[in-house]
């Protein structure tokens, strides 16, 4: 009779556990579905706000926050269904908070850095940046890391704390950029003619900005070992900066060729002294 009662009790416990486990599994599945649904609703809702409509940085960050919060709530509900007291979990977490904080200080630092990057906004999704020797276009700003892609489409994963603790160069923030083209001419060429040719070539391109305070400038920038260095400074829109510099470099070479201006090769002058030659000859004879 004792064995029968024990078996009946174990059977009831197993049945209750199976029911609770099934309900917990359903809750977990519904939580995952709800997190995805809430993330989509959040993205659509923020997409209707004028300030966030075209801001993929805020959208992606907010979506991740909503998803994580709902998953945490669902996990707590699953634990409660399995008979785990949430008050005891909170007590354990409180007692272990120092150890967890020390163990996860790097991860928590990444989260804090991500929040600060989102708040101060040194860059947005789609901007081209350089940070700590790494360059690329920002694809996503996440809770823990920022994802970049280089010009040749190489994936780069950068922890947010690394971005926060280093200098960031943003090549997409300003609408206009200034660039320089430096070219060398022979010392025998007419400097005034070369400067005029360079200036006309730069101004001939309609993409070069000619507004007051941003007109193109040409100057002699250096007297090198074998060439006189000329530099042209010009402004353009950020979108035109890359193609414009490539096109102008080609145009300057062609215009100098047409004007008969020489772009010299590196040269070296060797002087032979008679005394040194005689000394070398005597050594060979010996």
């Amino acid at each position: 009779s004792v064995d029968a009662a024990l078996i009946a009790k174990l059977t009831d416990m197993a049945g209750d556990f199976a029911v609770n486990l099934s309900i917990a599994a359903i809750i977990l599945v519904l939580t995952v579905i709800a997190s995805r649904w809430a993330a989509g609703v959040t993205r659509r809702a923020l997409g209707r706000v004028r300030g966030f409509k075209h801001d993929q940085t805020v959208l992606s960050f907010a979506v991740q926050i909503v998803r994580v919060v709902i998953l945490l709530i669902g996990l707590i509900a699953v634990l409660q269904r399995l008979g785990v007291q949430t008050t005891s979990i909170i007590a354990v977490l409180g007692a272990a908070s120092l150890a967890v904080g020390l163990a996860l200080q790097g991860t928590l630092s990444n989260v804090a850095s991500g929040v600060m990057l989102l708040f101060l906004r040194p860059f947005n999704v789609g901007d081209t940046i350089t940070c700590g020797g790494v360059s690329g276009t920002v694809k996503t700003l996440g809770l823990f890391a920022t994802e970049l892609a280089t010009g040749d489409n190489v994936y780069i994963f950068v922890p947010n704390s690394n971005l926060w603790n280093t200098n960031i160069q943003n090549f997409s923030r300003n609408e206009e950029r200034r660039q320089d083209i430096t070219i060398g001419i022979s010392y025998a060429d007419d400097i005034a003619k070369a400067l005029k040719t360079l200036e006309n070539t730069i101004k001939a391109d309609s993409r070069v900005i000619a507004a007051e305070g941003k007109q193109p400038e040409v100057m002699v920038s250096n007297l090198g070992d074998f060439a006189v260095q000329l530099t042209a400074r010009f402004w353009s829109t950020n979108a035109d900066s890359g193609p414009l510099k490539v096109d102008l470099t080609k145009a300057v070479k062609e215009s100098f060729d047409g004007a008969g201006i020489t772009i010299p090769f590196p040269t070296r002058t060797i002087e032979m002294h008679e005394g040194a030659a005689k000394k070398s000859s005597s050594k060979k004879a010996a």
Side-chain angles (χ1 to χ4, degrees), residues 192-270:
K193 180 181 178 182
L195 288 173
K196 190 63 178 178
T197 303
L198 181 59
E199 182 180 8
N200 292 338
T201 304
I202 298 299
K203 289 183 177 180
D205 198 305
S206 60
R207 292 171 293 180
V208 176
I209 296 175
E212 184 177 356
K214 296 183 178 179
Q215 296 92 344
E217 298 177 300
V218 294
M219 66 199 76
V220 177
S221 57
N222 187 35
L223 300 177
D225 295 336
F226 57 89
V228 178
Q229 301 292 333
L230 306 183
T231 298
R233 291 179 176 173
F234 55 93
W235 288 79
S236 68
T237 62
N238 206 345
D240 290 336
S241 60
L244 177 60
K245 187 169 184 177
V246 173
D247 294 341
L248 283 181
T249 301
K250 177 176 178 290
V252 169
K253 173 63 170 62
E254 293 174 345
S255 63
F256 274 22
D257 289 343
I261 300 171
T262 306
I263 301 176
F265 294 100
T267 58
R268 176 176 294 177
T269 302
I270 300 176

Side-chain angles (χ1 to χ4, degrees), residues 61 109-123 141 143 160 164:
F61 200 87
S109 176
N110 287 329
V111 175
S113 299
V115 173
M116 293 304 298
L117 290 172
L118 182 65
F119 179 73
L120 296 179
R121 307 300 292 279
F123 57 81
L141 171 59
L143 280 174
N160 288 334
W164 180 247

Side-chain angles (χ1 to χ4, degrees), residues 61-209:
F61 200 87
V63 166
Q64 292 184 59
I65 291 291
V66 170
R67 184 176 298 169
V68 170
V69 169
I70 292 180
L71 288 175
L72 288 176
I73 294 174
L75 181 60
I76 292 174
V78 168
L79 293 176
Q80 284 182 331
R81 191 65 198 182
L82 293 177
V84 179
Q85 297 296 325
T86 56
T87 54
S88 62
I89 295 176
I90 295 175
V92 171
L93 290 178
S97 60
L98 180 59
V100 172
L102 292 175
L104 300 179
Q105 57 182 342
T107 303
L108 296 177
S109 176
N110 287 329
V111 175
S113 299
V115 173
M116 293 304 298
L117 290 172
L118 182 65
F119 179 73
L120 296 179
R121 307 300 292 279
F123 57 81
N124 295 316
V125 172
D127 288 353
T128 301
I129 65 172
T130 294
C131 54
V134 176
S135 299
T137 301
V138 179
K139 296 302 181 181
T140 59
L141 171 59
L143 280 174
F144 306 104
T146 298
E147 298 178 4
L148 307 176
T150 62
D152 52 353
N153 202 29
V154 176
Y155 174 81
I156 302 178
F157 183 89
V158 185
N160 288 334
S161 58
N162 290 2
L163 289 175
W164 180 247
N165 293 321
T166 189
N167 297 329
I168 299 175
Q169 290 181 305
N170 190 334
F171 298 97
S172 305
R173 174 62 60 88
N174 298 326
E175 296 182 358
E176 298 175 347
R177 287 181 59 188
R178 196 200 76 184
Q179 298 187 87
D180 296 351
I181 291 180
T182 300
I183 189 169
I185 64 172
S186 172
Y187 274 93
D189 289 330
D190 187 343
I191 294 180
K193 180 181 178 182
L195 288 173
K196 190 63 178 178
T197 303
L198 181 59
E199 182 180 8
N200 292 338
T201 304
I202 298 299
K203 289 183 177 180
D205 198 305
S206 60
R207 292 171 293 180
V208 176
I209 296 175

